[in-house]
Structure formats: structure tokens, C-alpha cells
Amino acid sequence: MPLPSKPQKRGDTPSTQAPAKTSADGEFEIRSKIRNIIENIRKESSKRTQSQPKPTLVGSAPVPAPELAHDVAPASKSTKKDETKQPRETAKLKVRGAKKAEVTATVDNAESNDTISLRKTAVKSRRAKLTVDTKAVEIAKAAHEIDHTSVDTSKAAATKAGSTNAGISATVADTLFSAPNPQILQTGRRGRASTPEHLKKLFVLDTNVLMHDPLCIFHFAEHDVFLPMTVLEELDNHKKGTSDVARNARTVSRSLDTMMELNGADLSEGVPLSLLGNKEAGGRLYFETHNLADEIPEDLPTFKGDNRILAVVRGVIKAFPKRGVVLVSKDINMRIKATALGIPAEDYLSDKVLDDTDLLYSGKLAMPADFWQTHAKDLESWQDNGATHYRFTSKSPEKFVINQCLSIEGDPDFMAIVTAIEGENVTVRLLKDYRTRAKVWGIQARNAEQNMALNLLMDPDIDFVTILGQAGTGKTLMTLAAGLTQTMDDRRFSEIIVTRATVSVGEDIGFLPGTEEEKMAPWMGALEDNLEVLQRTDDTMGGDWGRHVTMDLIKTRIRIKSMSFMRGRTFLKKFVIIDEAQNLSPKQMKTLITRAGPGTKIVCLGNIAQIDTPYLTEGSSGLTYVVERFQGWNHAATITLTRGERSRLADYATEVL
């Protein structure tokens, strides 16, 4: 510990004012005590040296005066000097001086040892404290809960901590608390430049966000929105056409125009986002009224729209220093470049139903193996319309959902569906066995999941069914078999309508000739394959001739329609199959489902792991959207298939590829 550079003057008293406390209170209290001890020792030594007389010997050098009171002889009242007693007094003074030197050395040595011991203790305490503080700071940084105030305080404490570890402390502080960009703080997603949590956000929107969701500007709660001039130019370039992208671009332009008319000509203070009646939008909309583009690396040419937007975002950060500026884009490469430049960027999250698709409702629940023993006393059972019903009491009825399929671990024969939940009472109905006893258009279920799916497809009280699963689980085959049975045999539906999203896996093959059904035929290869399987399973008399006649009859009851011509239609008593539904947006899914009229059943098939539509993810897919929105409705059900039944080659390829 460095000593004070300015020595104490005679008559000064030790300072009793406690040092200012910081975050490391214990450490600084120890340092203060050490400083006070050292100052007291030096002050006492200075006082005794200056207050005692300095006797001198004739013809010799001055002898150091005694410093301790008990070593000094009582002063004589007589001031007369006896020249004859001078040698004797001189000898006595020499002896006393020698004794005093030994005593002083002993005291100084003891004080030095005490000081060294205290210093060692303080150093150990500082090292332990610094270690704890460093670990605490690292943990807090990892948890993204450190604000600027605590960071600055901890940095100052770590930098000032002791002379022994001063260099180490400063290095640790610089390493832990250095920030290359003032907008970057210890909050936000890992791997992304982030913004302070206590600042109001200013979201700069990319063009693709507006074309993906034309109402996105109203989905940022109390935060503000900024639109660069490049975004408005790109919206103008995409407004022509009949596609969803062009339609969304025109919707955004009309909304902006209406807001400007209601606000007036002054745009400097922004336009309130609540002008159009969107009360949940409490922020303001800002436009690039003058050039805000800042410098970006020369390797990013500014004639590209994305790079110009990045330059504007940098300028916005400087123009709005009290806002947490964030770039929002659906373009992954745009977000990567922004992060590389130190610009906070994130995906548009308002359209996502789930952040983690592992939490997606599966439509099934496995109950513990001791279910029968647990509910033996309160279990009720009865028969109704040829089906067996059970009612039991559950301590956690919230885990059950209407039309949820149930099974019991270790009991492959038990399969039921939840029909009612009243308080803690849960009512279930046993499912029909399509594995061994019954068939649907000549096919049987190969596992429990397929048996549950066939029950949902054949249930007349369920109007909307979603079946999710990987390739080869039998989604299309079972749905087509159930549709044919209820259309051809039961006469419940008048015809089957099949549609799907025309999104190709590879390159587009261009325009297709012919009528609507002829144009859709290449997209319906899966339908043809499954019809061939169903035809072979049917016990049709007449050989090949009979099978061809049956195929022609089946095709007369199946209609292949394009989604482009669905608006304005109403389906009456139709069995509608929406294949590859994972490639549909929530808006497209809403358009299709709202076409249903009386007596219509809609079945959505898809695999959220195989999304080919740009800007759609597992969390924002229309299939995920309807699964979550229809969960718990009395006339809707969901089932997820996990076991493939196509072939051993397909199953192995699914696992290893």
C-alpha cells in the first residue's frame, strides 16, 4: 500500500473520517485500518523526536535524544551546570542512548512485523475479494443483468484494489468491461449485438419485414419504428402484381399514406402509430427526412439496398443516442452483416407462435403405468352408442385437452380420447381399433399413432384435423382412405378437394400448360401414388379392367384445386385435404379454412421440418399457427406421427441423413 506522499506536520491529528465506501466495502475497510496504523506510528515517532531536547557533548557529535518517556530521567529543577559532573552525565547518556536504541529497534521491529502481517492479511483478503468479484461479474454478464452503473462501479473498485494486484486488477477490469460499441451492452441474445434494457427501443425495419407482415409496424408495443428511404423505394418496386408480396406492399403504402394525412406535414417528431386505431401501438413512426447514411466498409457497395440500409442504421444510432436502435430483418445474411458491423439486429418475432417447436402441442399424452391402480376408487365407466366411456378425477386436469389422444405406458391396447373436462373430472372414450378389427378403404393402422389418426379422421364430430409427421408416417395415405370411405361408402361428403402450396424444392420448371387440374397434376404426384396403393388393397373383381374402372370412378369424386382461386368460394359437404401445409403462411391458412361451409371437414397435413417457403420458419409456419390456435376447441384435433412405416430404407435414411 503506497504511503501518503506528503508527511504529517507537527501538531496534526490523525484523520478520523471514514473513507468513502464502494462496492468492495470490506476490502477498503481493511485498507483504511492499515493506513491509519501506519500514519499513527509515523506521527508518534515524529512527535517524540521533535518534543524531546537534544543534549550535546562537548567536543563530540550530538547524541540522539531518548524517544520513550520511561527512559528519560526526571529533569532537575536546578539549571546550574556542574562542569565536574559532565563526564559522568555523558556516560549515563551513552548508556541510556544505547538502551534506547535497542528498545526503539525492538518496538520498530514489532511494529514492522505487525504492519507486514496486516498487509499480508489485506493482500489475501483483496485477492479473495477480487476472485469473488470477478466470478460474480462473469456470472452476471452471462445472465445479461449488469447495467452501466454497476459495471462502472465494479470496474473502479477492481482497478483501485491494492498495490500488489493493481496491474492484474486493471487488466481484468479492462478485459471484462471493455465494449467496442456504445450500443453494445451485456443484455440480449448470445452472439448478437444488443441494446440496453432500460432504453426505449427504436426498431429500423427492413423491406422484407413489411412485405411479410403489412401490419408489422403496429406490433412493437410502446417502442418506436424507423423506415429508411431505401425501404420505401423497394416497396414501390414490389407493389405491382397479384402475388401476396405485391398485395402486402400496397397495403403498407396505403397505411403509411393514411397516417401521414391524419398527422399533417410535420414528420420531424414522428407519426403516432395509434392514429389508425391500433391502441396497442404506443410508439411513433419516423421517416428518413434527411440523409442519415453513415460510413460503412468499402467492401460493402452502397448501390445495394441492404448496404444502404446498414449505413442508415449506423446514422440512426448517432442521431438517436438515447434510444436502443435495433435492425429488424427476415434476411439472415442481413442480420449477419449487421452483427459483424456492431449493429444490433434480430428477426421479426411477432409472427412466431412458438420460439421452441419442441413445445408444440402433439395431440397425445402418455399416462403412467399405475393409472388403473391410482384411479381404482374414483373410476366410473359406462357404455354409450357402442363405445366405452370412463370418468376419473385428476389433481392436475390442466394437462388434459379436449380431443387429446391418451395412452398408458406398458399397455399397448389402451387408446382413448378426451371428450370432456369439468373441474377435476376428466371424461374419456375408448378409440376404435383399426389395427386388427376394422379397416378403412382396405387398409389398417400399423401402430398406435396411426390408429389414433384414423379415429380422428373418421369422427363425424371433428371438423378440423391436423396431422404432423415426418416423411413415410402415412399421413396422406390414411387421409385419402378416410376421405374415400366417407365419400364413396358413407355418403357423408359429396367430393374430395385436394390442394397444396405450389412451392418447389429445386428450380422452378416454368409455366405449365392446360387447365387448372392439368397445371396442378405435377404437384399431385403423392396423390397418384397413394391412389395406386389404395387401388391394390381394394378387393375389386374383374382384374385389371375392374381396377381401371374403379380408378376412373374414384377420380370423378376427387377435385384438384389451386389455392390461387380459393377466395370467395364456399365448400359445402366437402372433404378438403391441404397437403404440405407447412409451406403456407398464417394468412393463407386462414383464407383456406374460412372457405368451409356446413358439413365440410378440413384436414391439414405437413412436416414442419421441411419448409421450402422463403421467410417461413417452424415457429411462423401456418401449420404451427393453426395447431396452437385450434388447441382445445371441441371440434378440432391434432396428432403427431413419429414412427415411419414407408419402408426400412426410408426409415433408415430419415435417421442417418
Side-chain angles (χ1 to χ4, degrees):
M1 182 66 58
L3 297 176
S5 58
K6 186 176 181 179
Q8 294 282 355
K9 295 182 179 181
R10 182 187 305 177
D12 290 347
T13 56
S15 175
T16 58
Q17 183 179 0
K21 293 188 177 181
T22 63
S23 59
D25 292 336
E27 175 188 351
F28 285 100
E29 288 179 0
I30 295 175
R31 293 167 52 197
S32 177
K33 291 180 181 180
I34 297 173
R35 186 186 299 110
N36 291 337
I37 291 174
I38 296 174
E39 290 178 355
N40 290 337
I41 293 173
R42 298 179 71 252
K43 188 172 290 291
E44 289 293 334
S45 177
S46 177
K47 283 183 178 181
R48 289 192 296 267
T49 303
Q50 296 175 1
S51 62
Q52 296 297 330
K54 299 181 179 180
T56 56
L57 299 179
V58 178
S60 63
V63 178
E67 297 183 5
L68 295 181
H70 61 272
D71 289 331
V72 181
S76 175
K77 294 182 180 180
S78 176
T79 57
K80 295 181 180 180
K81 295 183 180 180
D82 190 356
E83 296 296 337
T84 59
K85 297 181 179 180
Q86 185 174 351
R88 186 183 303 173
E89 294 295 336
T90 302
K92 290 182 179 180
L93 286 174
K94 287 183 179 181
V95 174
R96 291 175 182 173
K99 290 182 179 181
K100 173 61 186 100
E102 294 178 1
V103 174
T104 302
T106 303
V107 173
D108 291 341
N109 189 23
E111 292 175 346
S112 178
N113 291 337
D114 292 340
T115 303
I116 293 173
S117 177
L118 288 173
R119 287 187 178 182
K120 289 182 178 180
T121 304
V123 169
K124 292 180 180 180
S125 176
R126 285 199 302 272
R127 289 176 178 175
K129 185 67 177 177
L130 286 174
T131 303
V132 173
D133 288 345
T134 303
K135 291 182 178 179
V137 169
E138 291 177 351
I139 294 173
K141 286 186 64 180
H144 310 299
E145 295 179 353
I146 298 179
D147 56 9
H148 274 303
T149 303
S150 60
V151 168
D152 294 339
T153 304
S154 300
K155 180 178 179 181
T159 307
K160 295 179 181 179
S163 59
T164 305
N165 291 332
I168 299 176
S169 302
T171 304
V172 172
D174 293 338
T175 304
L176 291 178
F177 305 108
S178 59
N181 192 307
Q183 288 289 334
I184 300 176
L185 195 65
Q186 293 77 14
T187 56
R189 294 190 300 166
R190 184 176 64 179
R192 292 284 185 192
S194 52
T195 57
E197 291 293 339
H198 65 280
L199 293 182
K200 187 177 181 180
K201 300 292 190 301
L202 177 61
F203 292 98
V204 182
L205 302 188
D206 195 3
T207 313
N208 48 53
V209 178
L210 296 169
M211 293 189 296
H212 174 75
D213 182 4
L215 301 178
C216 63
I217 58 176
F218 307 109
H219 294 165
F220 292 93
E222 74 278 7
H223 302 292
D224 299 331
V225 177
F226 186 92
L227 294 182
M229 192 61 65
T230 304
V231 171
L232 301 179
E233 286 288 334
E234 292 180 345
L235 284 176
D236 184 66
N237 295 334
H238 290 86
K239 69 181 181 181
K240 297 180 181 179
T242 59
S243 63
D244 288 339
V245 172
R247 189 179 299 109
N248 292 342
R250 292 193 295 269
T251 301
V252 173
S253 299
R254 286 193 292 267
S255 299
L256 297 179
D257 182 62
T258 305
M259 293 173 64
M260 287 185 176
E261 289 181 357
L262 296 175
N263 180 75
D266 187 12
L267 301 178
S268 59
E269 298 298 328
V271 180
L273 290 171
S274 59
L275 286 179
L276 300 183
N278 299 277
K279 297 181 180 180
E280 68 279 1
R284 305 181 75 86
L285 176 63
Y286 292 89
F287 297 88
E288 187 183 1
T289 55
H290 59 280
N291 186 17
L292 292 177
D294 196 14
E295 294 182 358
I296 58 175
E298 297 180 356
D299 295 337
L300 300 177
T302 55
F303 62 83
K304 290 186 177 181
D306 289 352
N307 296 336
R308 288 200 300 270
I309 293 175
L310 292 175
V312 171
V313 175
R314 276 196 160 183
V316 171
I317 293 176
K318 295 181 179 179
F320 296 86
K322 296 183 179 181
R323 303 289 182 88
V325 180
V326 180
L327 173 64
V328 181
S329 176
K330 300 291 293 183
D331 189 350
I332 296 178
N333 290 330
M334 181 74 160
R335 299 198 299 266
I336 293 175
K337 290 194 293 185
T339 305
L341 295 176
I343 299 174
E346 62 182 39
D347 191 8
Y348 179 61
L349 305 176
S350 296
D351 62 335
K352 291 188 177 182
V353 182
L354 291 175
D355 293 333
D356 187 2
T357 54
D358 292 338
L359 303 177
L360 182 64
Y361 174 60
S362 64
K364 56 186 178 180
L365 176 65
M367 295 186 293
D370 60 347
F371 170 78
W372 299 112
Q373 292 79 5
T374 303
H375 300 280
K377 295 182 179 180
D378 60 355
L379 187 65
E380 302 178 21
S381 64
W382 68 92
Q383 296 285 331
D384 186 15
N385 294 330
T388 303
H389 297 259
Y390 292 97
R391 181 185 293 117
F392 58 91
T393 303
S394 175
K395 295 181 180 179
S396 54
E398 66 277 358
K399 68 180 181 181
F400 296 96
V401 181
I402 295 295
N403 293 330
Q404 184 180 36
C405 295
L406 305 179
S407 62
I408 296 179
E409 297 177 357
D411 188 358
D413 296 329
F414 178 84
M415 283 172 286
I417 185 172
V418 179
T419 57
I421 302 175
E422 300 174 354
E424 295 184 351
N425 295 324
V426 180
T427 304
V428 301
R429 184 187 74 246
L430 292 184
L431 296 178
K432 193 174 181 179
D433 188 5
Y434 287 104
R435 292 181 297 180
T436 57
R437 300 178 181 178
K439 292 184 178 181
V440 178
W441 200 260
I443 66 171
Q444 289 181 324
R446 293 188 177 183
N447 54 58
E449 294 175 346
Q450 289 187 353
N451 187 71
M452 296 175 182
L454 286 175
N455 275 273
L456 299 179
L457 293 169
M458 298 296 293
D459 193 336
D461 293 330
I462 298 179
D463 301 332
F464 183 74
V465 180
T466 52
I467 303 179
L468 294 82
Q470 61 184 4
T473 52
K475 302 184 297 295
T476 307
L477 180 64
M478 291 187 297
T479 303
L480 193 56
L484 289 173
T485 299
Q486 297 175 85
T487 302
M488 304 287 289
D489 296 344
D490 301 339
R491 306 289 181 177
R492 187 181 301 165
F493 306 107
S494 60
E495 63 181 1
I496 300 174
I497 296 179
V498 184
T499 186
R500 59 160 291 172
T502 55
V503 180
S504 59
V505 178
E507 296 182 0
D508 195 353
I509 61 176
F511 293 99
L512 299 174
T515 63
E516 178 186 358
E517 291 194 0
E518 290 175 346
K519 291 178 182 292
M520 290 294 296
W523 301 99
M524 293 298 170
L527 176 64
E528 296 290 338
D529 297 339
N530 286 281
L531 283 177
E532 183 180 354
V533 174
L534 293 175
Q535 180 191 15
R536 290 182 179 181
T537 57
D538 189 18
D539 298 332
T540 304
M541 302 299 294
D544 293 340
W545 181 84
R547 281 193 291 270
H548 284 296
V549 172
T550 304
M551 180 64 71
D552 293 339
L553 179 61
I554 290 174
K555 288 185 177 180
T556 59
R557 309 300 291 273
I558 299 178
R559 295 286 183 266
I560 301 174
K561 299 297 181 181
S562 172
M563 291 192 306
S564 303
F565 309 102
M566 288 294 183
R567 287 190 178 274
R569 297 198 59 181
T570 301
F571 299 135
L572 300 176
K573 295 187 67 175
K574 301 292 193 293
F575 189 90
V576 182
I577 302 175
I578 305 176
D579 200 9
E580 302 295 334
Q582 76 275 2
N583 288 321
L584 300 178
S585 66
K587 185 177 180 180
Q588 292 173 325
M589 189 68 74
K590 178 182 178 180
T591 302
L592 293 176
I593 297 176
T594 52
R595 303 303 100 200
T600 296
K601 186 167 190 169
I602 296 181
V603 182
C604 294
L605 311 176
N607 179 16
I608 58 175
Q610 295 181 347
I611 297 178
D612 303 315
T613 303
Y615 306 128
L616 275 187
T617 62
E618 296 178 357
S620 61
S621 170
L623 185 59
T624 306
Y625 181 77
V626 296
V627 168
E628 289 297 313
R629 290 295 187 270
F630 280 91
Q631 178 182 347
W633 187 45
N634 292 335
H635 303 286
T638 298
I639 188 67
T640 301
L641 308 178
T642 57
R643 182 177 175 182
E645 297 289 352
R646 178 171 291 173
S647 67
R648 59 188 179 188
L649 174 60
D651 295 343
Y652 184 74
T654 303
E655 295 178 1
V656 301
L657 298 181

